[in-house]
Amino acid sequence: MADEDAKEEVGLSLDDGEEEGTLKLTSKDGKDFEVERKNANIATLVKTSLDADASATEVPIPGVKSDVLELVIEYMNQHKGVEPPIIEKPLRSKIMKDVCKDPWDADFIDRIGNNRQQLYDLILAANYMDVKSLLHLGCAKVASLIKGQPLEKIKDILSEGIAPKAGEAGEEEKKE
């Protein structure tokens, strides 16, 4: 009994061995990515899948394309399975380095933010995979882009990089 109490005090459990090794995540377009199991647990979708089947070596991620899943895995590997603190709201600044506690997070999201469609896809992936800190980071980046901007500029920012749906292109031409 004393041994069990000592293990609990140190934060060890019988499940710790299950977090060792790698896991294969398969994207929507069939590309496989290797990731450390403990790093992948930052995503609730992956953690839930592993809780259901602890011996699983592969987790399909059918809602995320490979280019975006690669970014999510880069984020997972950087944080080593530890969810960083959520960004404080409202934002204190439009500059992500001032908002993020981790400078790597600021550089990461600024790099992605240059491509709006990729940023929006990353936010959708973080939501789908339930990576709360990445979802908040992506949304904070969008908020930093629109903070203090006039309405017309906000419309441009939010629609930038998004292809018009079928039938909408003709409507744009009629307005002009």
Side-chain angles (χ1 to χ4, degrees), residues 67-131:
D67 60 329
V68 179
L69 184 56
E70 192 169 6
L71 294 171
V72 175
I73 290 171
E74 182 182 347
Y75 184 84
M76 289 175 170
N77 288 336
Q78 172 63 28
H79 291 288
K80 302 192 182 334
V82 178
E83 189 104 26
I86 301 296
I87 293 172
E88 291 179 30
K89 289 162 220 64
L91 296 181
R92 304 184 308 270
S93 169
K94 292 167 67 172
I95 300 165
M96 293 305 291
K97 286 192 186 302
D98 296 342
V99 175
C100 297
K101 289 180 175 46
D102 184 346
W104 184 91
D105 282 352
D107 291 337
F108 173 76
I109 205 66
D110 281 340
R111 177 172 42 96
I112 293 166
N114 293 330
N115 178 343
R116 299 281 192 282
Q117 187 59 54
Q118 193 174 39
L119 175 60
Y120 301 148
D121 289 344
L122 181 68
I123 290 169
L124 291 172
N127 186 49
Y128 178 79
M129 295 177 69
D130 200 4
V131 184

Short mmCIF file of all heavy atoms in Angstrom, two decimals, residues 67-131:
data_model
loop_
_atom_site.label_atom_id
_atom_site.label_comp_id
_atom_site.label_asym_id
_atom_site.label_seq_id
_atom_site.Cartn_x
_atom_site.Cartn_y
_atom_site.Cartn_z
N ASP A 67 -1.17 18.43 -45.21
CA ASP A 67 -0.37 19.64 -45.00
C ASP A 67 -0.71 20.32 -43.67
O ASP A 67 0.16 20.86 -42.99
CB ASP A 67 -0.50 20.61 -46.18
CG ASP A 67 -1.93 21.08 -46.42
OD1 ASP A 67 -2.88 20.31 -46.15
OD2 ASP A 67 -2.10 22.22 -46.91
N VAL A 68 -1.97 20.24 -43.27
CA VAL A 68 -2.40 20.85 -42.02
C VAL A 68 -2.06 19.93 -40.84
O VAL A 68 -1.62 20.40 -39.79
CB VAL A 68 -3.91 21.18 -42.06
CG1 VAL A 68 -4.36 21.80 -40.75
CG2 VAL A 68 -4.21 22.11 -43.22
N LEU A 69 -2.23 18.62 -41.02
CA LEU A 69 -1.89 17.67 -39.96
C LEU A 69 -0.39 17.78 -39.63
O LEU A 69 -0.01 17.68 -38.46
CB LEU A 69 -2.25 16.24 -40.36
CG LEU A 69 -2.02 15.16 -39.31
CD1 LEU A 69 -2.75 15.46 -38.01
CD2 LEU A 69 -2.44 13.79 -39.84
N GLU A 70 0.42 18.02 -40.63
CA GLU A 70 1.86 18.21 -40.41
C GLU A 70 2.12 19.39 -39.47
O GLU A 70 2.97 19.31 -38.58
CB GLU A 70 2.54 18.43 -41.76
CG GLU A 70 4.03 18.34 -41.72
CD GLU A 70 4.66 18.30 -43.11
OE1 GLU A 70 3.95 18.45 -44.13
OE2 GLU A 70 5.89 18.11 -43.16
N LEU A 71 1.36 20.47 -39.62
CA LEU A 71 1.49 21.63 -38.74
C LEU A 71 1.03 21.30 -37.32
O LEU A 71 1.66 21.71 -36.34
CB LEU A 71 0.69 22.81 -39.29
CG LEU A 71 1.17 23.40 -40.60
CD1 LEU A 71 0.15 24.40 -41.15
CD2 LEU A 71 2.53 24.04 -40.45
N VAL A 72 -0.07 20.56 -37.21
CA VAL A 72 -0.58 20.17 -35.89
C VAL A 72 0.47 19.30 -35.18
O VAL A 72 0.74 19.48 -33.99
CB VAL A 72 -1.93 19.43 -36.00
CG1 VAL A 72 -2.37 18.91 -34.64
CG2 VAL A 72 -3.00 20.33 -36.60
N ILE A 73 1.08 18.38 -35.92
CA ILE A 73 2.10 17.50 -35.33
C ILE A 73 3.34 18.30 -34.94
O ILE A 73 3.94 18.04 -33.89
CB ILE A 73 2.44 16.35 -36.30
CG1 ILE A 73 1.22 15.40 -36.37
CG2 ILE A 73 3.69 15.60 -35.87
CD1 ILE A 73 1.32 14.34 -37.44
N GLU A 74 3.70 19.29 -35.74
CA GLU A 74 4.82 20.18 -35.37
C GLU A 74 4.52 20.84 -34.02
O GLU A 74 5.39 20.92 -33.14
CB GLU A 74 5.01 21.23 -36.46
CG GLU A 74 6.17 22.17 -36.22
CD GLU A 74 6.32 23.24 -37.31
OE1 GLU A 74 5.69 23.12 -38.38
OE2 GLU A 74 7.08 24.19 -37.06
N TYR A 75 3.29 21.30 -33.84
CA TYR A 75 2.86 21.91 -32.58
C TYR A 75 2.90 20.89 -31.43
O TYR A 75 3.41 21.18 -30.35
CB TYR A 75 1.44 22.47 -32.75
CG TYR A 75 0.92 23.22 -31.55
CD1 TYR A 75 1.22 24.56 -31.35
CD2 TYR A 75 0.10 22.58 -30.61
CE1 TYR A 75 0.74 25.24 -30.25
CE2 TYR A 75 -0.39 23.26 -29.51
CZ TYR A 75 -0.06 24.59 -29.34
OH TYR A 75 -0.53 25.26 -28.24
N MET A 76 2.40 19.68 -31.70
CA MET A 76 2.42 18.61 -30.67
C MET A 76 3.84 18.31 -30.22
O MET A 76 4.12 18.20 -29.03
CB MET A 76 1.82 17.32 -31.25
CG MET A 76 0.36 17.31 -31.48
SD MET A 76 -0.05 15.74 -32.30
CE MET A 76 -1.82 15.79 -32.20
N ASN A 77 4.74 18.16 -31.20
CA ASN A 77 6.12 17.82 -30.89
C ASN A 77 6.83 18.93 -30.12
O ASN A 77 7.64 18.66 -29.24
CB ASN A 77 6.90 17.47 -32.16
CG ASN A 77 6.47 16.14 -32.74
OD1 ASN A 77 5.96 15.27 -32.04
ND2 ASN A 77 6.65 15.98 -34.04
N GLN A 78 6.51 20.17 -30.43
CA GLN A 78 7.11 21.30 -29.72
C GLN A 78 6.70 21.29 -28.25
O GLN A 78 7.52 21.52 -27.37
CB GLN A 78 6.70 22.63 -30.37
CG GLN A 78 7.12 23.86 -29.60
CD GLN A 78 8.62 24.03 -29.46
OE1 GLN A 78 9.39 23.57 -30.32
NE2 GLN A 78 9.06 24.67 -28.40
N HIS A 79 5.44 21.00 -27.99
CA HIS A 79 4.93 21.07 -26.61
C HIS A 79 5.01 19.74 -25.86
O HIS A 79 4.65 19.67 -24.69
CB HIS A 79 3.50 21.63 -26.63
CG HIS A 79 3.48 23.08 -27.01
ND1 HIS A 79 3.92 24.06 -26.17
CD2 HIS A 79 3.14 23.69 -28.16
CE1 HIS A 79 3.82 25.23 -26.77
NE2 HIS A 79 3.35 25.03 -27.99
N LYS A 80 5.48 18.70 -26.53
CA LYS A 80 5.74 17.40 -25.91
C LYS A 80 4.58 16.87 -25.07
O LYS A 80 4.77 16.34 -23.98
CB LYS A 80 7.02 17.46 -25.09
CG LYS A 80 8.22 17.87 -25.94
CD LYS A 80 9.51 17.66 -25.24
CE LYS A 80 10.73 18.10 -26.01
NZ LYS A 80 10.72 18.14 -27.43
N GLY A 81 3.36 17.06 -25.59
CA GLY A 81 2.19 16.52 -24.92
C GLY A 81 1.69 17.33 -23.75
O GLY A 81 0.73 16.94 -23.09
N VAL A 82 2.30 18.47 -23.48
CA VAL A 82 1.87 19.33 -22.38
C VAL A 82 1.14 20.54 -22.96
O VAL A 82 1.71 21.30 -23.74
CB VAL A 82 3.07 19.81 -21.53
CG1 VAL A 82 2.61 20.75 -20.43
CG2 VAL A 82 3.82 18.62 -20.95
N GLU A 83 -0.11 20.67 -22.59
CA GLU A 83 -0.93 21.77 -23.11
C GLU A 83 -0.44 23.09 -22.51
O GLU A 83 -0.44 23.27 -21.30
CB GLU A 83 -2.39 21.52 -22.72
CG GLU A 83 -3.35 22.47 -23.37
CD GLU A 83 -4.11 21.85 -24.51
OE1 GLU A 83 -4.30 20.64 -24.55
OE2 GLU A 83 -4.55 22.61 -25.37
N PRO A 84 0.01 24.03 -23.36
CA PRO A 84 0.45 25.33 -22.83
C PRO A 84 -0.75 26.14 -22.33
O PRO A 84 -1.89 25.85 -22.69
CB PRO A 84 1.11 26.01 -24.03
CG PRO A 84 0.58 25.33 -25.22
CD PRO A 84 0.17 23.95 -24.80
N PRO A 85 -0.50 27.17 -21.55
CA PRO A 85 -1.61 27.98 -21.04
C PRO A 85 -2.35 28.68 -22.18
O PRO A 85 -1.75 29.06 -23.18
CB PRO A 85 -0.94 29.00 -20.11
CG PRO A 85 0.52 28.88 -20.32
CD PRO A 85 0.80 27.64 -21.06
N ILE A 86 -3.65 28.85 -22.00
CA ILE A 86 -4.50 29.53 -22.98
C ILE A 86 -4.15 31.02 -23.00
O ILE A 86 -3.87 31.61 -21.96
CB ILE A 86 -6.00 29.33 -22.62
CG1 ILE A 86 -6.37 27.84 -22.57
CG2 ILE A 86 -6.90 30.09 -23.57
CD1 ILE A 86 -6.27 27.09 -23.86
N ILE A 87 -4.18 31.61 -24.18
CA ILE A 87 -3.86 33.04 -24.34
C ILE A 87 -4.94 33.88 -23.67
O ILE A 87 -6.13 33.62 -23.84
CB ILE A 87 -3.73 33.38 -25.83
CG1 ILE A 87 -2.52 32.66 -26.42
CG2 ILE A 87 -3.64 34.87 -26.06
CD1 ILE A 87 -2.38 32.74 -27.91
N GLU A 88 -4.49 34.90 -22.94
CA GLU A 88 -5.43 35.78 -22.23
C GLU A 88 -6.23 36.61 -23.23
O GLU A 88 -5.71 37.05 -24.24
CB GLU A 88 -4.66 36.73 -21.30
CG GLU A 88 -4.03 36.04 -20.12
CD GLU A 88 -3.26 37.02 -19.24
OE1 GLU A 88 -3.64 38.21 -19.19
OE2 GLU A 88 -2.29 36.58 -18.63
N LYS A 89 -7.51 36.79 -22.90
CA LYS A 89 -8.38 37.62 -23.71
C LYS A 89 -9.00 38.68 -22.83
O LYS A 89 -9.24 38.42 -21.67
CB LYS A 89 -9.47 36.75 -24.36
CG LYS A 89 -8.94 35.85 -25.44
CD LYS A 89 -9.94 34.74 -25.72
CE LYS A 89 -9.34 33.42 -25.95
NZ LYS A 89 -8.61 32.74 -24.99
N PRO A 90 -9.24 39.86 -23.34
CA PRO A 90 -8.94 40.33 -24.69
C PRO A 90 -7.43 40.48 -24.91
O PRO A 90 -6.67 40.60 -23.94
CB PRO A 90 -9.65 41.68 -24.77
CG PRO A 90 -9.74 42.15 -23.36
CD PRO A 90 -9.85 40.92 -22.51
N LEU A 91 -7.03 40.45 -26.18
CA LEU A 91 -5.61 40.56 -26.51
C LEU A 91 -5.07 41.91 -26.05
O LEU A 91 -5.70 42.94 -26.26
CB LEU A 91 -5.40 40.41 -28.02
CG LEU A 91 -5.77 39.06 -28.63
CD1 LEU A 91 -5.47 39.08 -30.13
CD2 LEU A 91 -5.04 37.93 -27.97
N ARG A 92 -3.88 41.89 -25.47
CA ARG A 92 -3.23 43.12 -25.02
C ARG A 92 -2.58 43.86 -26.18
O ARG A 92 -2.31 45.05 -26.09
CB ARG A 92 -2.14 42.81 -24.00
CG ARG A 92 -2.57 42.04 -22.79
CD ARG A 92 -1.44 41.87 -21.79
NE ARG A 92 -0.22 41.32 -22.34
CZ ARG A 92 0.09 40.04 -22.40
NH1 ARG A 92 -0.76 39.14 -21.97
NH2 ARG A 92 1.23 39.63 -22.90
N SER A 93 -2.29 43.10 -27.25
CA SER A 93 -1.51 43.67 -28.35
C SER A 93 -1.86 42.95 -29.64
O SER A 93 -2.38 41.83 -29.62
CB SER A 93 -0.02 43.48 -28.04
OG SER A 93 0.77 43.78 -29.15
N LYS A 94 -1.55 43.57 -30.77
CA LYS A 94 -1.73 42.93 -32.07
C LYS A 94 -0.51 42.08 -32.42
O LYS A 94 -0.53 41.30 -33.35
CB LYS A 94 -1.92 44.01 -33.16
CG LYS A 94 -3.23 44.75 -33.02
CD LYS A 94 -3.30 45.99 -33.87
CE LYS A 94 -3.31 45.70 -35.34
NZ LYS A 94 -3.58 46.90 -36.16
N ILE A 95 0.56 42.24 -31.65
CA ILE A 95 1.81 41.53 -31.90
C ILE A 95 1.79 40.22 -31.09
O ILE A 95 1.71 40.25 -29.86
CB ILE A 95 3.03 42.40 -31.52
CG1 ILE A 95 3.00 43.68 -32.36
CG2 ILE A 95 4.32 41.64 -31.69
CD1 ILE A 95 3.91 44.76 -31.84
N MET A 96 1.89 39.10 -31.79
CA MET A 96 1.76 37.79 -31.14
C MET A 96 2.87 37.53 -30.12
O MET A 96 2.64 36.87 -29.12
CB MET A 96 1.70 36.67 -32.18
CG MET A 96 0.45 36.69 -33.05
SD MET A 96 -1.10 36.70 -32.12
CE MET A 96 -1.12 35.07 -31.42
N LYS A 97 4.05 38.06 -30.34
CA LYS A 97 5.15 37.87 -29.36
C LYS A 97 4.79 38.49 -28.01
O LYS A 97 5.25 38.03 -26.97
CB LYS A 97 6.45 38.46 -29.89
CG LYS A 97 7.09 37.64 -30.99
CD LYS A 97 8.51 38.12 -31.25
CE LYS A 97 9.17 37.46 -32.41
NZ LYS A 97 9.31 36.05 -32.39
N ASP A 98 3.98 39.54 -28.02
CA ASP A 98 3.55 40.18 -26.77
C ASP A 98 2.42 39.41 -26.10
O ASP A 98 2.19 39.55 -24.91
CB ASP A 98 3.08 41.62 -27.04
CG ASP A 98 4.19 42.52 -27.55
OD1 ASP A 98 5.38 42.16 -27.38
OD2 ASP A 98 3.87 43.58 -28.13
N VAL A 99 1.69 38.62 -26.88
CA VAL A 99 0.50 37.92 -26.40
C VAL A 99 0.82 36.50 -25.91
O VAL A 99 0.26 36.04 -24.93
CB VAL A 99 -0.56 37.86 -27.53
CG1 VAL A 99 -1.75 37.04 -27.13
CG2 VAL A 99 -0.98 39.27 -27.94
N CYS A 100 1.75 35.83 -26.61
CA CYS A 100 2.10 34.44 -26.30
C CYS A 100 3.18 34.37 -25.23
O CYS A 100 4.15 35.12 -25.29
CB CYS A 100 2.61 33.72 -27.55
SG CYS A 100 1.40 33.60 -28.86
N LYS A 101 3.00 33.46 -24.29
CA LYS A 101 4.03 33.25 -23.27
C LYS A 101 5.24 32.54 -23.87
O LYS A 101 6.36 32.76 -23.46
CB LYS A 101 3.45 32.43 -22.12
CG LYS A 101 2.47 33.21 -21.27
CD LYS A 101 1.92 32.37 -20.13
CE LYS A 101 1.04 33.08 -19.16
NZ LYS A 101 0.02 33.94 -19.69
N ASP A 102 5.01 31.69 -24.87
CA ASP A 102 6.07 30.93 -25.53
C ASP A 102 6.43 31.59 -26.86
O ASP A 102 5.59 31.68 -27.75
CB ASP A 102 5.58 29.50 -25.77
CG ASP A 102 6.63 28.58 -26.35
OD1 ASP A 102 7.67 29.07 -26.83
OD2 ASP A 102 6.41 27.36 -26.34
N PRO A 103 7.66 32.08 -27.01
CA PRO A 103 8.06 32.74 -28.26
C PRO A 103 7.92 31.82 -29.49
O PRO A 103 7.64 32.29 -30.58
CB PRO A 103 9.53 33.12 -28.04
CG PRO A 103 9.80 32.93 -26.60
CD PRO A 103 8.74 32.06 -26.02
N TRP A 104 8.11 30.50 -29.29
CA TRP A 104 7.96 29.57 -30.40
C TRP A 104 6.53 29.61 -30.94
O TRP A 104 6.32 29.60 -32.15
CB TRP A 104 8.33 28.15 -29.98
CG TRP A 104 8.29 27.19 -31.12
CD1 TRP A 104 9.31 26.86 -31.95
CD2 TRP A 104 7.14 26.45 -31.60
NE1 TRP A 104 8.89 25.97 -32.91
CE2 TRP A 104 7.56 25.70 -32.71
CE3 TRP A 104 5.82 26.35 -31.20
CZ2 TRP A 104 6.70 24.87 -33.43
CZ3 TRP A 104 4.96 25.53 -31.91
CH2 TRP A 104 5.40 24.80 -33.01
N ASP A 105 5.54 29.67 -30.05
CA ASP A 105 4.14 29.74 -30.46
C ASP A 105 3.89 30.98 -31.32
O ASP A 105 3.21 30.91 -32.35
CB ASP A 105 3.20 29.78 -29.25
CG ASP A 105 3.00 28.42 -28.61
OD1 ASP A 105 3.46 27.41 -29.17
OD2 ASP A 105 2.37 28.37 -27.53
N ALA A 106 4.45 32.11 -30.91
CA ALA A 106 4.28 33.36 -31.67
C ALA A 106 4.88 33.24 -33.06
O ALA A 106 4.24 33.60 -34.06
CB ALA A 106 4.91 34.52 -30.91
N ASP A 107 6.09 32.71 -33.15
CA ASP A 107 6.74 32.54 -34.46
C ASP A 107 5.96 31.56 -35.33
O ASP A 107 5.75 31.79 -36.52
CB ASP A 107 8.18 32.05 -34.30
CG ASP A 107 9.10 33.09 -33.69
OD1 ASP A 107 8.78 34.30 -33.78
OD2 ASP A 107 10.13 32.71 -33.12
N PHE A 108 5.51 30.47 -34.73
CA PHE A 108 4.76 29.43 -35.44
C PHE A 108 3.48 30.00 -36.04
O PHE A 108 3.22 29.84 -37.24
CB PHE A 108 4.44 28.29 -34.45
CG PHE A 108 3.54 27.21 -34.98
CD1 PHE A 108 4.03 26.26 -35.86
CD2 PHE A 108 2.22 27.12 -34.57
CE1 PHE A 108 3.21 25.23 -36.33
CE2 PHE A 108 1.40 26.10 -35.02
CZ PHE A 108 1.89 25.16 -35.91
N ILE A 109 2.70 30.69 -35.25
CA ILE A 109 1.41 31.19 -35.73
C ILE A 109 1.59 32.38 -36.65
O ILE A 109 0.79 32.57 -37.59
CB ILE A 109 0.43 31.47 -34.56
CG1 ILE A 109 -1.03 31.39 -35.04
CG2 ILE A 109 0.73 32.79 -33.89
CD1 ILE A 109 -1.48 30.02 -35.47
N ASP A 110 2.63 33.19 -36.46
CA ASP A 110 2.90 34.29 -37.39
C ASP A 110 3.28 33.75 -38.76
O ASP A 110 2.87 34.29 -39.78
CB ASP A 110 4.01 35.19 -36.86
CG ASP A 110 3.52 36.16 -35.78
OD1 ASP A 110 2.29 36.40 -35.71
OD2 ASP A 110 4.36 36.68 -35.02
N ARG A 111 4.06 32.68 -38.78
CA ARG A 111 4.47 32.05 -40.05
C ARG A 111 3.24 31.54 -40.80
O ARG A 111 3.10 31.74 -42.00
CB ARG A 111 5.46 30.92 -39.75
CG ARG A 111 5.92 30.13 -40.95
CD ARG A 111 7.05 29.16 -40.58
NE ARG A 111 6.88 28.45 -39.34
CZ ARG A 111 6.38 27.22 -39.25
NH1 ARG A 111 5.97 26.56 -40.31
NH2 ARG A 111 6.28 26.62 -38.08
N ILE A 112 2.34 30.89 -40.07
CA ILE A 112 1.14 30.33 -40.69
C ILE A 112 0.17 31.45 -41.06
O ILE A 112 -0.51 31.37 -42.08
CB ILE A 112 0.48 29.31 -39.75
CG1 ILE A 112 1.39 28.11 -39.60
CG2 ILE A 112 -0.89 28.89 -40.26
CD1 ILE A 112 1.03 27.21 -38.47
N GLY A 113 0.11 32.49 -40.26
CA GLY A 113 -0.83 33.60 -40.48
C GLY A 113 -0.61 34.34 -41.78
O GLY A 113 -1.49 35.05 -42.26
N ASN A 114 0.57 34.18 -42.38
CA ASN A 114 0.84 34.81 -43.68
C ASN A 114 -0.03 34.20 -44.77
O ASN A 114 -0.25 34.82 -45.80
CB ASN A 114 2.33 34.69 -44.05
CG ASN A 114 3.19 35.50 -43.12
OD1 ASN A 114 2.77 36.52 -42.58
ND2 ASN A 114 4.41 35.04 -42.90
N ASN A 115 -0.48 32.98 -44.59
CA ASN A 115 -1.36 32.30 -45.53
C ASN A 115 -2.70 32.10 -44.81
O ASN A 115 -2.86 31.18 -44.02
CB ASN A 115 -0.75 30.95 -45.94
CG ASN A 115 -1.63 30.15 -46.87
OD1 ASN A 115 -2.82 30.39 -47.00
ND2 ASN A 115 -1.03 29.17 -47.52
N ARG A 116 -3.65 32.98 -45.08
CA ARG A 116 -4.92 32.97 -44.35
C ARG A 116 -5.66 31.63 -44.45
O ARG A 116 -6.18 31.14 -43.47
CB ARG A 116 -5.87 34.06 -44.84
CG ARG A 116 -5.35 35.45 -44.70
CD ARG A 116 -5.49 35.98 -43.28
NE ARG A 116 -5.23 37.40 -43.28
CZ ARG A 116 -4.04 37.94 -43.33
NH1 ARG A 116 -2.97 37.19 -43.35
NH2 ARG A 116 -3.89 39.24 -43.34
N GLN A 117 -5.69 31.05 -45.65
CA GLN A 117 -6.41 29.78 -45.81
C GLN A 117 -5.79 28.71 -44.93
O GLN A 117 -6.48 27.93 -44.29
CB GLN A 117 -6.43 29.33 -47.27
CG GLN A 117 -7.31 28.11 -47.51
CD GLN A 117 -8.76 28.34 -47.11
OE1 GLN A 117 -9.39 29.28 -47.56
NE2 GLN A 117 -9.29 27.48 -46.25
N GLN A 118 -4.45 28.68 -44.88
CA GLN A 118 -3.77 27.70 -44.03
C GLN A 118 -4.08 27.96 -42.55
O GLN A 118 -4.28 27.02 -41.78
CB GLN A 118 -2.26 27.76 -44.30
CG GLN A 118 -1.51 26.60 -43.71
CD GLN A 118 -0.05 26.62 -44.10
OE1 GLN A 118 0.58 27.67 -44.16
NE2 GLN A 118 0.50 25.46 -44.39
N LEU A 119 -4.15 29.22 -42.17
CA LEU A 119 -4.49 29.58 -40.79
C LEU A 119 -5.91 29.10 -40.46
O LEU A 119 -6.13 28.48 -39.41
CB LEU A 119 -4.39 31.09 -40.59
CG LEU A 119 -4.82 31.65 -39.23
CD1 LEU A 119 -3.98 31.06 -38.11
CD2 LEU A 119 -4.75 33.16 -39.23
N TYR A 120 -6.86 29.34 -41.35
CA TYR A 120 -8.24 28.91 -41.11
C TYR A 120 -8.33 27.38 -41.06
O TYR A 120 -9.05 26.82 -40.23
CB TYR A 120 -9.19 29.47 -42.17
CG TYR A 120 -9.20 30.99 -42.23
CD1 TYR A 120 -9.41 31.66 -43.42
CD2 TYR A 120 -8.98 31.77 -41.10
CE1 TYR A 120 -9.41 33.05 -43.49
CE2 TYR A 120 -8.97 33.16 -41.15
CZ TYR A 120 -9.19 33.79 -42.35
OH TYR A 120 -9.19 35.15 -42.40
N ASP A 121 -7.59 26.71 -41.94
CA ASP A 121 -7.58 25.24 -41.95
C ASP A 121 -6.97 24.69 -40.65
O ASP A 121 -7.44 23.68 -40.11
CB ASP A 121 -6.80 24.70 -43.16
CG ASP A 121 -7.55 24.91 -44.47
OD1 ASP A 121 -8.77 25.19 -44.44
OD2 ASP A 121 -6.90 24.80 -45.53
N LEU A 122 -5.93 25.38 -40.14
CA LEU A 122 -5.31 24.96 -38.88
C LEU A 122 -6.30 25.11 -37.72
O LEU A 122 -6.39 24.24 -36.85
CB LEU A 122 -4.04 25.78 -38.61
CG LEU A 122 -3.29 25.40 -37.33
CD1 LEU A 122 -2.67 24.01 -37.46
CD2 LEU A 122 -2.22 26.42 -37.03
N ILE A 123 -7.06 26.20 -37.72
CA ILE A 123 -8.06 26.41 -36.68
C ILE A 123 -9.12 25.30 -36.73
O ILE A 123 -9.50 24.73 -35.71
CB ILE A 123 -8.71 27.81 -36.82
CG1 ILE A 123 -7.69 28.89 -36.46
CG2 ILE A 123 -9.96 27.93 -35.94
CD1 ILE A 123 -8.12 30.30 -36.81
N LEU A 124 -9.56 24.97 -37.94
CA LEU A 124 -10.55 23.89 -38.10
C LEU A 124 -9.98 22.55 -37.63
O LEU A 124 -10.67 21.76 -36.99
CB LEU A 124 -11.01 23.80 -39.55
CG LEU A 124 -11.86 24.97 -40.05
CD1 LEU A 124 -12.10 24.85 -41.56
CD2 LEU A 124 -13.18 25.04 -39.30
N ALA A 125 -8.71 22.29 -37.96
CA ALA A 125 -8.06 21.04 -37.54
C ALA A 125 -7.92 20.98 -36.02
O ALA A 125 -8.16 19.93 -35.41
CB ALA A 125 -6.69 20.91 -38.21
N ALA A 126 -7.52 22.09 -35.42
CA ALA A 126 -7.37 22.14 -33.96
C ALA A 126 -8.72 21.91 -33.29
O ALA A 126 -8.81 21.21 -32.27
CB ALA A 126 -6.79 23.48 -33.52
N ASN A 127 -9.77 22.44 -33.87
CA ASN A 127 -11.12 22.22 -33.35
C ASN A 127 -11.52 20.75 -33.52
O ASN A 127 -12.01 20.13 -32.58
CB ASN A 127 -12.11 23.14 -34.04
CG ASN A 127 -13.49 23.06 -33.43
OD1 ASN A 127 -13.64 23.15 -32.21
ND2 ASN A 127 -14.49 22.87 -34.26
N TYR A 128 -11.29 20.20 -34.70
CA TYR A 128 -11.64 18.81 -35.00
C TYR A 128 -10.91 17.84 -34.07
O TYR A 128 -11.49 16.91 -33.53
CB TYR A 128 -11.33 18.50 -36.46
CG TYR A 128 -11.60 17.07 -36.86
CD1 TYR A 128 -12.90 16.65 -37.15
CD2 TYR A 128 -10.57 16.14 -36.95
CE1 TYR A 128 -13.15 15.33 -37.50
CE2 TYR A 128 -10.82 14.83 -37.31
CZ TYR A 128 -12.12 14.43 -37.59
OH TYR A 128 -12.38 13.14 -37.94
N MET A 129 -9.60 18.08 -33.89
CA MET A 129 -8.78 17.19 -33.07
C MET A 129 -8.86 17.54 -31.59
O MET A 129 -8.31 16.85 -30.75
CB MET A 129 -7.33 17.21 -33.55
CG MET A 129 -7.16 16.65 -34.94
SD MET A 129 -5.47 16.76 -35.54
CE MET A 129 -4.65 15.57 -34.47
N ASP A 130 -9.52 18.64 -31.27
CA ASP A 130 -9.69 19.13 -29.90
C ASP A 130 -8.35 19.39 -29.22
O ASP A 130 -8.03 18.83 -28.17
CB ASP A 130 -10.55 18.17 -29.08
CG ASP A 130 -11.17 18.83 -27.85
OD1 ASP A 130 -10.98 20.06 -27.69
OD2 ASP A 130 -11.81 18.14 -27.06
N VAL A 131 -7.55 20.26 -29.88
CA VAL A 131 -6.29 20.74 -29.30
C VAL A 131 -6.59 22.18 -28.88
O VAL A 131 -6.42 23.12 -29.65
CB VAL A 131 -5.13 20.69 -30.31
CG1 VAL A 131 -3.82 21.11 -29.65
CG2 VAL A 131 -5.00 19.31 -30.92
#
